[in-house]
Amino acid sequence: MISKAEIEHVANLAKLKFDEKEIEDFTEKFSEIISYVEKLQEVDTENVKATYQVNSNVQFMREDKVEESFSNEEALSNAPDKQYGYFKLPKILD
């Protein structure tokens, strides 16, 4: 189904180097994959409505709740560098 030349072409586009055995292996495996996917053509989908979202629930939302957490001092206790109550990081832009 897929030729050795096509595997070599795709490998070349991806800048991948394969030996002869690997190319033969990929040719065989990709042909098997393509033939398996082609079985989907046999499925009768005439009376199946098109779907754009498989989950019928619009959106799951939870209520925002404020929960106790670390204090600012505890959160910064192991910081290598801090300033004004925040983590201080090195500049990356001038």
Side-chain angles (χ1 to χ4, degrees):
M1 298 189 85
I2 191 166
S3 70
K4 202 167 115 176
E6 289 171 315
I7 296 291
E8 290 171 340
H9 177 68
V10 171
N12 184 40
L13 291 174
K15 307 237 186 282
L16 298 172
K17 301 278 187 211
F18 296 117
D19 62 30
E20 194 64 33
K21 182 175 181 339
E22 289 174 316
I23 290 174
E24 289 174 14
D25 191 40
F26 281 125
T27 304
E28 180 182 321
K29 288 181 180 177
F30 284 134
S31 292
E32 289 175 9
I33 292 169
I34 290 171
S35 68
Y36 185 76
V37 171
E38 283 180 344
K39 288 182 181 182
L40 294 174
Q41 300 290 349
E42 299 171 11
V43 176
D44 180 20
T45 58
E46 187 174 322
N47 295 322
V48 178
K49 292 189 336 187
T51 182
Y52 303 102
Q53 182 175 352
V54 295
N55 188 352
S56 62
N57 297 323
V58 177
Q59 192 173 30
F60 291 105
M61 300 287 286
R62 65 170 174 80
E63 183 180 337
D64 287 334
K65 294 180 183 176
V66 177
E67 295 181 2
E68 287 296 319
S69 185
F70 296 112
S71 68
N72 197 28
E73 292 78 26
E74 289 174 307
L76 294 172
S77 65
N78 291 323
D81 202 2
K82 52 193 166 215
Q83 183 177 16
Y84 308 119
Y86 298 99
F87 292 99
K88 185 175 179 184
L89 302 171
K91 271 187 176 180
I92 57 169
L93 299 174
D94 291 326

